[in-house]
Each structure stands twice: as structure tokens, then as C-alpha cells.
Amino acid sequence: MTQDELKKAVGWAALEYVRPGTIVGVGTGSTAAHFIDALGSIKHQIEGAVSSSDASTAKLQSLGITVFDPNEVDSLDIYVDGADEINRQMQMIKGGGAALTREKIIAAIARQFICIVDASKQVDILGKFPLPVEVIPMARAYVARELVKLGGLPEYRQHVVTDNGNVILDVHNLKIIDAIDLENKINSISGVVTVGLFARRAADVALVGTANGVVKVVK
Ligand code: 5RP
């Protein structure tokens, strides 16, 4: 199976977690796009969705799914999204698609985070995938210097402006042993909006696409 077929398999498998009549938290990226297609097939059974990016909002609306502002929603049953890396503790690196801040907000609102990934995203130690950090534009150089002090090699993601009007620094050279500690440290740098480490709020369930089918991992 191709990587995209594995992504499709987990995107559709996540439908199992969608309860009728609810508002569903929806992520961003090529795996989440498969989930949105799947959601479209049951759109009359759900109330709607909360979306983590303009791109996902456009896709949801094109399928006739109502998109709610997170401020209109008290709580969400589930948030379904992909990841760039996931470890055994279900901690993740996210933000390859630059949507990390809205993803983190919706993950915080949701009772359950369902992570949908192909098996290539599973790692023992997070950090091979460059860690995305969303930064207020005027703080870019300062934040980059602070990230170097933490042992990283930050790289400005050229020509990318997030949905929130900010920039992304991708941090290379990290071997993340204590992900919660690093998440706290990077989040406390002035000018950082969000770091793409999802350790304090890890996934609850991972659906992993493998050559032998979808494997469910529970925290
Ligand atoms: C977007 C994300 C995505 O979930 C992550 O980049 C994985 O993307 P894909 O499903 O395309 O492999 O965090 O900001």
C-alpha cells in the first residue's frame, strides 16, 4: 500500500469515534483531509465541525458540513488529526502544515484526541522531524537565538504565513527526551505563540495505518 492509502485507511477508520448529533473537532493535513472526506459521508448524522485551519474549513464547507467557531462550543467529544511524529507515550510533533496553534486549541477543548497516522510517523524519540514553532513576526530573530540556547538549529520557513498572520521556525537537531519540559520552555519564550510539541496534551488513541491494516494504540 502507498503512504496515501495508509492515510486514507486511518482517516476512514476514525469514523468509528464520531457520535451522532455531535460537533467534531477536525485537524489539518493530508491525513485529516481523508477524515474530512469520511465525515462528508455521514454529514447528515452530525451537527457540524470545528476546524483547525482555513484549508480544512474550506474542505468541510465544500462538502456541506457546518463549521462552528470554537467560541460557540463548550466542549467537544473528539478531535481527529494527523501528526508528523508520535512516540510510545502518544506525545506528538505537529505543525508540518503550519496549523499547530489552532490544532492545539481544539485539542485542548476536546475530551479525546484521536491521532491518525501511517506507520512511518511512529518514533522512539521525537525530534528527527524539525519541530515547528509559530512566532510573532517581530520576535523571529530573538526567538531563534533562544532556541539555539536550547540546543536547536532553527530555520525560518520561507514564504509561509500562518492563518494567524505569524511565521514558523522549524527547529532541527533536537533529540527530545523530556517533551513536557521542552514544551514548557519553548512556550515561555516571549514572542512564541505555540510550539508544535503536543506532550502536555498527548493523544488518547492512535490509529496507525500499517501494511496489515489499521492498528489501534490506546494510552
Ligand atoms: C498540520 C499537522 C499535520 O497533522 C501533520 O503535518 C501531518 O500531516 P499529514 O497528515 O499531511 O502527513 O500538524 O499542521
Side-chain angles (χ1 to χ4, degrees):
M1 280 172 101
T2 65
Q3 188 182 26
D4 192 58
E5 285 166 341
L6 297 176
K7 289 180 177 192
K8 185 174 180 180
V10 291
W12 282 78
L15 275 190
E16 178 197 334
Y17 291 88
V18 178
R19 281 199 308 134
T22 57
I23 298 175
V24 182
V26 174
T28 295
S30 55
T31 319
H34 286 300
F35 174 65
I36 296 173
D37 286 332
L39 213 48
S41 72
I42 58 157
K43 66 179 171 195
H44 299 300
Q45 296 173 38
I46 59 169
E47 197 178 336
V50 165
S51 164
S52 60
S53 64
D54 293 346
S56 289
T57 297
K59 188 168 170 66
L60 286 158
Q61 289 174 336
S62 75
L63 293 171
I65 297 170
T66 305
V67 177
F68 292 88
D69 184 317
N71 291 306
E72 298 176 274
V73 173
D74 288 336
S75 68
L76 290 170
D77 245 15
I78 58 166
Y79 175 59
V80 179
D81 197 1
D84 299 300
E85 285 185 348
I86 182 164
N87 67 13
R88 285 170 208 267
Q89 291 76 45
M90 310 283 262
Q91 299 168 327
M92 296 159 285
I93 285 182
K94 293 183 44 52
L100 59 162
T101 298
R102 296 187 187 191
E103 292 173 344
K104 211 174 250 197
I105 293 166
I106 303 178
I109 298 170
R111 276 189 291 276
Q112 264 202 313
F113 188 136
I114 316 293
C115 180
I116 47 175
V117 286
D118 66 86
S120 72
K121 307 291 185 71
Q122 288 183 301
V123 298
D124 289 328
I125 297 174
L126 297 171
K128 193 167 175 206
F129 188 92
L131 177 64
V133 183
E134 180 166 353
V135 177
I136 301 282
M138 69 166 282
R140 174 167 58 89
Y142 166 71
V143 171
R145 289 194 292 275
E146 293 300 301
L147 291 168
V148 169
K149 287 183 195 165
L150 293 174
L153 291 176
E155 183 186 13
Y156 175 36
R157 201 183 293 182
Q158 299 282 339
H159 312 301
V160 170
V161 177
T162 70
D163 288 349
N164 313 306
N166 299 312
V167 297
I168 298 281
L169 295 174
D170 291 306
V171 190
H172 298 253
N173 200 40
L174 293 173
K175 206 170 172 186
I176 304 171
I177 306 299
D178 187 340
I180 291 180
D181 182 58
L182 188 64
E183 182 175 0
N184 287 335
K185 280 185 176 140
I186 295 179
N187 273 339
S188 67
I189 299 170
S190 299
V192 167
V193 179
T194 318
V195 59
L197 258 181
F198 285 58
R200 288 189 308 188
R201 204 287 177 251
D204 300 292
V205 176
L207 299 177
V208 183
T210 76
N212 300 319
V214 175
V215 175
K216 185 194 295 188
V217 184
V218 180
K219 199 156 110 185

